[in-house]
Amino acid sequence: MAGTIERTTFGVLKDGRSVDCIRLAQDGGLDVRIITLGAAVQALFVPDAGGMMADVVLGYDDPEDYRVKRQFFGATIGRFSNRIAGGRFELDGKVIHIATNEGKNVLHGGPEGFDQKLWTIEDLGTEPEPFVRLGLVSPDGDQGFPGEVTATVTYRLTNPGELSMRYEATSDRTTVIGMTHHGYFNLGGVEHLRSVLDHRLQMPADHYLAVASDLIPEESPRSVADTLFDFREAKPIMRDLRTADDQLLTTKGYDHCFCLADKPHQAPRLAARLHHPASGRVMELHSDQPGLQFYSGNMLNAGVAGKYGQIARQGDALCLEPQSWPNAPNRPDFPSARLEAGETYRHQSIYRFSAQAPDLG
């Protein structure tokens, strides 16, 4: 299949820095726009069974909005995705203090995480498939994290319906790291937003992490059996969402890590399958990561306008974030987020799109 790549200017930040946009496309397949601010997916057009294209991710038209209306739309998250309790962890006997940005805790790398950084284009092309590799150097002490970290994310259209994301990072000092993609998906299309809660979701996870009021995991993994967290068979997201469960009350919906393994896999495996019956669009997420954070868009509150003049309300999009388990730097019983000096952190996730006949019933 023929592929194309285009590089344009997306806009200019208030401080005068230019933000580039790279478009990757496959004939008859996906069309994705990636911006250098936050190494973020700004748009992702996906065909339905009849070939009708729709943009399936939330985003902004103005680069400055990604900084002043921070929602992590489509962003590359780092240095550590999800939460670190108390803004601290211990590493080799030394207490490390990280800048907090969610009460006393750290969320998605702190106030100036990877999503707020301007990445550089290191390579791009169409052979053997359309791809772009973006790079970032995070200095020693960035947000409090030890070590100078050199990170890359490579976006590649590996076939007409498949978007691959490969993350790598090295550090000159032992540190912790856990990167992820923070796309907000609605397979019905975001040009005219409707609730995502009619989507059918399946996740092959036998356990999940219950959280305390500050959304920090409070104990060892719980079984999903006979609970509202059992997505081992596909079900509509809305089916159990209104149930007065203590966990759903705490998080105002789903915002939990589902445990896929106790360490990263050698190669990507199925982590989730999402289906929108009305359009027939299907997204399969394959990842090598041990956890998957499912967030049902609980805090989208119509407070900001995104692309197409649309205002996202609660439940209008969802996130499926393959990653380490939250607060892993403070939990030796969780899969390790430690990165030794000179070693390479690797994470690969694949978003595979297809379509089936719409269910109009």
Side-chain angles (χ1 to χ4, degrees), residues 148-186:
E148 180 180 273
V149 165
T150 301
T152 63
V153 55
T154 302
Y155 292 98
R156 186 183 299 271
L157 296 182
T158 43
N159 69 41
E162 191 171 279
L163 174 61
S164 169
M165 304 177 192
R166 183 181 294 274
Y167 306 88
E168 294 190 351
T170 59
S171 176
D172 62 357
R173 293 175 55 194
T174 298
T175 190
V176 300
I177 195 160
M179 298 169 67
T180 194
H181 174 67
H182 205 296
Y184 281 77
F185 294 95
N186 185 322

CSV table of all heavy atoms in Angstrom, one decimal, residues 148-186:
chain,number,residue,atom,x,y,z
A,148,GLU,N,20.2,12.2,33.4
A,148,GLU,CA,19.9,12.8,32.1
A,148,GLU,C,19.3,11.7,31.2
A,148,GLU,O,20.0,10.7,30.9
A,148,GLU,CB,21.1,13.4,31.4
A,148,GLU,CG,20.8,14.0,30.0
A,148,GLU,CD,22.0,14.6,29.3
A,148,GLU,OE1,22.3,15.8,29.6
A,148,GLU,OE2,22.6,13.9,28.6
A,149,VAL,N,18.0,11.9,30.8
A,149,VAL,CA,17.3,10.8,30.0
A,149,VAL,C,17.2,11.3,28.6
A,149,VAL,O,16.8,12.4,28.3
A,149,VAL,CB,15.9,10.5,30.6
A,149,VAL,CG1,15.1,9.7,29.7
A,149,VAL,CG2,16.1,9.8,31.9
A,150,THR,N,17.6,10.4,27.7
A,150,THR,CA,17.4,10.6,26.2
A,150,THR,C,16.3,9.7,25.8
A,150,THR,O,16.4,8.5,25.9
A,150,THR,CB,18.7,10.3,25.5
A,150,THR,OG1,19.7,11.2,25.9
A,150,THR,CG2,18.4,10.6,24.0
A,151,ALA,N,15.1,10.3,25.4
A,151,ALA,CA,13.9,9.5,25.0
A,151,ALA,C,13.6,9.7,23.6
A,151,ALA,O,13.8,10.7,23.0
A,151,ALA,CB,12.8,9.9,25.9
A,152,THR,N,13.0,8.6,23.0
A,152,THR,CA,12.5,8.7,21.6
A,152,THR,C,11.1,8.0,21.6
A,152,THR,O,10.8,7.1,22.4
A,152,THR,CB,13.4,8.0,20.6
A,152,THR,OG1,13.5,6.6,20.9
A,152,THR,CG2,14.7,8.7,20.6
A,153,VAL,N,10.3,8.5,20.7
A,153,VAL,CA,9.0,7.8,20.3
A,153,VAL,C,9.0,7.7,18.8
A,153,VAL,O,9.2,8.7,18.1
A,153,VAL,CB,7.8,8.4,20.9
A,153,VAL,CG1,7.7,9.9,20.6
A,153,VAL,CG2,6.5,7.7,20.5
A,154,THR,N,8.7,6.5,18.3
A,154,THR,CA,8.6,6.3,16.8
A,154,THR,C,7.2,5.9,16.5
A,154,THR,O,6.6,4.9,17.0
A,154,THR,CB,9.5,5.2,16.3
A,154,THR,OG1,10.9,5.6,16.7
A,154,THR,CG2,9.4,5.1,14.8
A,155,TYR,N,6.5,6.8,15.7
A,155,TYR,CA,5.2,6.5,15.2
A,155,TYR,C,5.3,5.9,13.8
A,155,TYR,O,6.1,6.4,12.9
A,155,TYR,CB,4.3,7.7,15.1
A,155,TYR,CG,3.9,8.3,16.4
A,155,TYR,CD1,4.6,9.4,17.0
A,155,TYR,CD2,2.8,7.8,17.1
A,155,TYR,CE1,4.3,9.9,18.2
A,155,TYR,CE2,2.5,8.4,18.4
A,155,TYR,CZ,3.2,9.4,18.9
A,155,TYR,OH,2.8,10.0,20.1
A,156,ARG,N,4.7,4.8,13.5
A,156,ARG,CA,4.8,4.1,12.2
A,156,ARG,C,3.5,3.5,11.8
A,156,ARG,O,2.8,2.8,12.6
A,156,ARG,CB,5.9,3.0,12.3
A,156,ARG,CG,6.2,2.4,11.0
A,156,ARG,CD,7.3,1.2,11.2
A,156,ARG,NE,8.5,1.7,11.8
A,156,ARG,CZ,9.5,2.2,11.0
A,156,ARG,NH1,9.4,2.2,9.7
A,156,ARG,NH2,10.6,2.6,11.6
A,157,LEU,N,3.1,3.7,10.6
A,157,LEU,CA,1.9,3.0,10.0
A,157,LEU,C,2.4,1.7,9.4
A,157,LEU,O,2.9,1.6,8.3
A,157,LEU,CB,1.2,3.9,8.9
A,157,LEU,CG,0.6,5.2,9.4
A,157,LEU,CD1,-0.1,5.9,8.3
A,157,LEU,CD2,-0.4,4.9,10.6
A,158,THR,N,2.2,0.6,10.2
A,158,THR,CA,2.8,-0.7,9.8
A,158,THR,C,1.9,-1.5,8.8
A,158,THR,O,2.3,-2.5,8.3
A,158,THR,CB,3.1,-1.5,11.1
A,158,THR,OG1,2.0,-1.4,12.0
A,158,THR,CG2,4.3,-1.0,11.8
A,159,ASN,N,0.7,-1.1,8.6
A,159,ASN,CA,-0.2,-1.5,7.5
A,159,ASN,C,-1.3,-0.5,7.5
A,159,ASN,O,-1.4,0.4,8.3
A,159,ASN,CB,-0.6,-3.0,7.7
A,159,ASN,CG,-1.6,-3.2,8.8
A,159,ASN,OD1,-2.5,-2.4,9.0
A,159,ASN,ND2,-1.5,-4.3,9.6
A,160,PRO,N,-2.2,-0.6,6.5
A,160,PRO,CA,-3.2,0.4,6.3
A,160,PRO,C,-4.1,0.7,7.6
A,160,PRO,O,-4.6,1.8,7.7
A,160,PRO,CB,-4.1,-0.1,5.2
A,160,PRO,CG,-3.1,-0.9,4.4
A,160,PRO,CD,-2.2,-1.6,5.4
A,161,GLY,N,-4.2,-0.3,8.5
A,161,GLY,CA,-5.1,-0.1,9.6
A,161,GLY,C,-4.3,-0.1,11.0
A,161,GLY,O,-5.0,-0.4,12.0
A,162,GLU,N,-3.0,0.1,10.9
A,162,GLU,CA,-2.3,-0.2,12.2
A,162,GLU,C,-1.3,0.9,12.4
A,162,GLU,O,-0.4,1.3,11.6
A,162,GLU,CB,-1.5,-1.5,12.0
A,162,GLU,CG,-0.9,-2.1,13.2
A,162,GLU,CD,-0.3,-3.5,13.0
A,162,GLU,OE1,-1.1,-4.4,13.1
A,162,GLU,OE2,0.9,-3.6,12.7
A,163,LEU,N,-1.4,1.5,13.6
A,163,LEU,CA,-0.5,2.5,14.1
A,163,LEU,C,0.4,2.0,15.2
A,163,LEU,O,-0.1,1.6,16.3
A,163,LEU,CB,-1.2,3.8,14.6
A,163,LEU,CG,-0.4,4.9,15.2
A,163,LEU,CD1,0.6,5.5,14.2
A,163,LEU,CD2,-1.3,6.0,15.8
A,164,SER,N,1.7,1.9,15.0
A,164,SER,CA,2.6,1.4,16.0
A,164,SER,C,3.3,2.6,16.7
A,164,SER,O,3.7,3.6,16.1
A,164,SER,CB,3.7,0.5,15.3
A,164,SER,OG,4.7,0.2,16.2
A,165,MET,N,3.5,2.4,18.0
A,165,MET,CA,4.2,3.4,18.8
A,165,MET,C,5.3,2.7,19.6
A,165,MET,O,5.0,1.7,20.3
A,165,MET,CB,3.3,4.1,19.8
A,165,MET,CG,2.1,4.8,19.2
A,165,MET,SD,1.0,5.5,20.4
A,165,MET,CE,-0.4,5.9,19.4
A,166,ARG,N,6.6,3.1,19.3
A,166,ARG,CA,7.7,2.5,20.0
A,166,ARG,C,8.4,3.5,20.8
A,166,ARG,O,8.9,4.5,20.3
A,166,ARG,CB,8.6,1.8,19.0
A,166,ARG,CG,9.8,1.1,19.7
A,166,ARG,CD,10.7,0.5,18.6
A,166,ARG,NE,10.1,-0.6,17.9
A,166,ARG,CZ,10.0,-1.9,18.3
A,166,ARG,NH1,10.6,-2.2,19.5
A,166,ARG,NH2,9.4,-2.8,17.6
A,167,TYR,N,8.5,3.3,22.1
A,167,TYR,CA,9.2,4.2,23.0
A,167,TYR,C,10.6,3.6,23.5
A,167,TYR,O,10.6,2.4,23.8
A,167,TYR,CB,8.4,4.5,24.3
A,167,TYR,CG,7.0,4.9,24.0
A,167,TYR,CD1,5.9,4.0,23.8
A,167,TYR,CD2,6.7,6.3,24.0
A,167,TYR,CE1,4.7,4.5,23.6
A,167,TYR,CE2,5.4,6.8,23.7
A,167,TYR,CZ,4.4,5.8,23.5
A,167,TYR,OH,3.1,6.3,23.3
A,168,GLU,N,11.6,4.4,23.5
A,168,GLU,CA,12.9,4.0,24.1
A,168,GLU,C,13.5,5.1,24.9
A,168,GLU,O,13.2,6.3,24.6
A,168,GLU,CB,13.9,3.6,22.9
A,168,GLU,CG,13.4,2.3,22.2
A,168,GLU,CD,14.5,1.8,21.2
A,168,GLU,OE1,15.5,2.5,21.1
A,168,GLU,OE2,14.3,0.7,20.7
A,169,ALA,N,14.3,4.8,25.9
A,169,ALA,CA,14.9,5.8,26.7
A,169,ALA,C,16.1,5.2,27.4
A,169,ALA,O,16.2,4.0,27.7
A,169,ALA,CB,14.0,6.3,27.8
A,170,THR,N,17.2,6.0,27.5
A,170,THR,CA,18.4,5.7,28.3
A,170,THR,C,18.7,6.8,29.2
A,170,THR,O,18.2,7.9,29.1
A,170,THR,CB,19.6,5.5,27.3
A,170,THR,OG1,19.8,6.7,26.6
A,170,THR,CG2,19.3,4.3,26.3
A,171,SER,N,19.4,6.5,30.3
A,171,SER,CA,19.8,7.4,31.3
A,171,SER,C,21.3,7.3,31.7
A,171,SER,O,21.8,6.2,31.7
A,171,SER,CB,18.9,7.3,32.5
A,171,SER,OG,19.3,8.1,33.6
A,172,ASP,N,21.9,8.4,32.0
A,172,ASP,CA,23.3,8.3,32.5
A,172,ASP,C,23.4,8.0,34.0
A,172,ASP,O,24.5,7.8,34.5
A,172,ASP,CB,24.1,9.6,32.1
A,172,ASP,CG,23.5,10.8,32.8
A,172,ASP,OD1,22.5,10.7,33.5
A,172,ASP,OD2,24.1,11.9,32.7
A,173,ARG,N,22.3,7.9,34.7
A,173,ARG,CA,22.2,7.5,36.1
A,173,ARG,C,21.0,6.6,36.3
A,173,ARG,O,20.0,6.7,35.5
A,173,ARG,CB,22.1,8.7,37.0
A,173,ARG,CG,23.2,9.7,37.1
A,173,ARG,CD,22.9,10.9,37.9
A,173,ARG,NE,22.5,10.5,39.3
A,173,ARG,CZ,21.9,11.4,40.1
A,173,ARG,NH1,21.6,12.6,39.7
A,173,ARG,NH2,21.5,11.0,41.3
A,174,THR,N,21.1,5.8,37.3
A,174,THR,CA,19.9,4.9,37.6
A,174,THR,C,18.8,5.8,37.9
A,174,THR,O,18.9,6.8,38.7
A,174,THR,CB,20.3,4.0,38.7
A,174,THR,OG1,21.3,3.1,38.3
A,174,THR,CG2,19.1,3.1,39.1
A,175,THR,N,17.6,5.5,37.4
A,175,THR,CA,16.4,6.3,37.6
A,175,THR,C,15.2,5.4,37.5
A,175,THR,O,15.3,4.2,37.5
A,175,THR,CB,16.4,7.4,36.5
A,175,THR,OG1,15.3,8.4,36.8
A,175,THR,CG2,16.2,6.9,35.1
A,176,VAL,N,14.0,6.0,37.4
A,176,VAL,CA,12.8,5.3,37.1
A,176,VAL,C,12.1,5.9,35.8
A,176,VAL,O,12.3,7.1,35.6
A,176,VAL,CB,11.8,5.4,38.3
A,176,VAL,CG1,12.4,4.7,39.5
A,176,VAL,CG2,11.3,6.8,38.6
A,177,ILE,N,11.4,5.1,35.1
A,177,ILE,CA,10.8,5.6,33.9
A,177,ILE,C,9.6,4.7,33.5
A,177,ILE,O,9.6,3.5,33.8
A,177,ILE,CB,11.8,5.7,32.7
A,177,ILE,CG1,11.2,6.6,31.6
A,177,ILE,CG2,12.2,4.4,32.2
A,177,ILE,CD1,12.2,7.2,30.7
A,178,GLY,N,8.6,5.3,33.0
A,178,GLY,CA,7.4,4.6,32.5
A,178,GLY,C,6.6,5.5,31.6
A,178,GLY,O,5.9,6.3,32.0
A,179,MET,N,6.8,5.3,30.3
A,179,MET,CA,6.1,6.1,29.3
A,179,MET,C,4.9,5.5,28.7
A,179,MET,O,4.7,4.3,28.8
A,179,MET,CB,7.1,6.4,28.1
A,179,MET,CG,8.4,7.1,28.6
A,179,MET,SD,9.7,7.2,27.3
A,179,MET,CE,8.9,8.2,26.1
A,180,THR,N,4.0,6.3,28.2
A,180,THR,CA,2.7,5.8,27.6
A,180,THR,C,2.2,6.8,26.7
A,180,THR,O,2.6,8.0,26.6
A,180,THR,CB,1.7,5.5,28.7
A,180,THR,OG1,0.7,4.7,28.1
A,180,THR,CG2,1.1,6.7,29.3
A,181,HIS,N,1.1,6.4,26.0
A,181,HIS,CA,0.3,7.2,25.1
A,181,HIS,C,-1.0,7.6,25.7
A,181,HIS,O,-1.7,6.7,26.3
A,181,HIS,CB,0.1,6.5,23.7
A,181,HIS,CG,-0.8,7.3,22.8
A,181,HIS,ND1,-0.5,8.5,22.3
A,181,HIS,CD2,-2.1,7.1,22.4
A,181,HIS,CE1,-1.5,9.0,21.5
A,181,HIS,NE2,-2.5,8.1,21.6
A,182,HIS,N,-1.4,8.9,25.7
A,182,HIS,CA,-2.6,9.3,26.4
A,182,HIS,C,-3.6,9.8,25.4
A,182,HIS,O,-4.2,10.9,25.6
A,182,HIS,CB,-2.2,10.4,27.4
A,182,HIS,CG,-3.1,10.5,28.6
A,182,HIS,ND1,-4.5,10.9,28.4
A,182,HIS,CD2,-2.9,10.4,29.9
A,182,HIS,CE1,-5.0,10.9,29.6
A,182,HIS,NE2,-4.1,10.6,30.5
A,183,GLY,N,-4.0,8.9,24.5
A,183,GLY,CA,-5.0,9.3,23.5
A,183,GLY,C,-6.4,9.2,24.2
A,183,GLY,O,-6.7,8.3,24.9
A,184,TYR,N,-7.3,10.1,23.8
A,184,TYR,CA,-8.7,10.1,24.2
A,184,TYR,C,-9.5,9.7,23.0
A,184,TYR,O,-9.6,10.4,22.0
A,184,TYR,CB,-9.2,11.5,24.6
A,184,TYR,CG,-8.8,11.9,26.0
A,184,TYR,CD1,-7.5,12.4,26.3
A,184,TYR,CD2,-9.7,12.0,27.1
A,184,TYR,CE1,-7.2,12.8,27.6
A,184,TYR,CE2,-9.4,12.4,28.3
A,184,TYR,CZ,-8.1,12.8,28.6
A,184,TYR,OH,-7.8,13.3,29.9
A,185,PHE,N,-10.0,8.5,23.0
A,185,PHE,CA,-10.7,7.9,21.9
A,185,PHE,C,-12.2,7.9,21.9
A,185,PHE,O,-12.8,7.8,23.0
A,185,PHE,CB,-10.3,6.4,21.8
A,185,PHE,CG,-8.8,6.2,21.5
A,185,PHE,CD1,-7.9,6.0,22.5
A,185,PHE,CD2,-8.3,6.2,20.2
A,185,PHE,CE1,-6.6,5.8,22.2
A,185,PHE,CE2,-7.0,6.1,19.9
A,185,PHE,CZ,-6.1,5.8,20.9
A,186,ASN,N,-12.8,8.2,20.8
A,186,ASN,CA,-14.2,8.0,20.6
A,186,ASN,C,-14.4,7.5,19.1
A,186,ASN,O,-14.2,8.3,18.2
A,186,ASN,CB,-15.0,9.3,20.8
A,186,ASN,CG,-16.5,9.1,20.7
A,186,ASN,OD1,-17.0,8.3,19.8
A,186,ASN,ND2,-17.2,9.8,21.5
